[in-house]
Amino acid sequence: IYLVMWALLLSSCTAIQRTAYIQDVQDNTAVNVAHESQIRIKPYDRLTVVVSSKDPELAAPFNATSSYNSLSSNPMGSSTANGASSLQTRTVDENGVLYIPIIGNVYCAGKTRSELSAEIAQKIKNGGYISDAVVNIQFVDMKIFVLGEVERPGQYDITRDHVTILEALAMAGDMTIHGNRQTVTVVRKEEGKTKTYVLNMLDTKMFESPAYYLQQNDVVYVQPNKYKAATAEINQNRNFWLSIATTFLSVASLVVTILAYTK
């Protein structure tokens, strides 16, 4: 009985070591966290840009509503509503440039929403168009993708300016018992290149990774652990040998039938 209890205790400790997050964390101890937290604008992002003022007539041309489309031939804007306060969807081009009516092209790649808003507002004021311009910028669609050994793999919308990898895993229902918590991979496109980051979710050093805070269109992949891989291999081998045995029995039965018929 003691041997059985000891074996169960050891297996329980091993299971905890495989599944518990940030195992080296200490109570009331500060950890270093990656500095970059806010999502930054990238080429091909779709944004809504709304310019406001105490005088709506002054702000209306910057919002490029249907009444003011003649002011610009820019093909990247598409009006989504009528009136001076309508939301205007604009796409950042491949060079990271966003077209704004009246003031022209604005380079925005690598900037946060608040940084770009302040820059556009300042350009409007410096041009003498509106002295009290207020610019509001929103992402039209921001998504991340969570794949592999999670409860609900799929595509998830981001509704805030920052999201951590822990929050992304929570969106997907957390890892399954078969997820490898030591090798969670984040695939990210940066400066025209695809980069990969591997995070060990058992270690507090994951907070220091550039991929701790996710960016739009990041792909989070949870690899299966060795136990899941071994189980899959066993099942595959078992299915293979069952298929061989079934085929052998079918052939043997056919041979017996033919022999019996010939007699």
Side-chain angles (χ1 to χ4, degrees), residues 213-225:
Y213 284 105
L214 299 179
Q215 295 288 320
Q216 66 271 47
N217 301 319
D218 277 358
V219 178
V220 179
Y221 174 63
V222 180
Q223 298 181 16
N225 58 27

Side-chain angles (χ1 to χ4, degrees), residues 53-74:
S53 169
K54 292 181 180 179
D55 187 345
E57 291 298 323
L58 294 178
F62 294 95
N63 294 320
T65 62
S66 57
S67 301
Y68 295 91
N69 281 341
S70 59
L71 294 173
S72 169
S73 58
N74 171 45

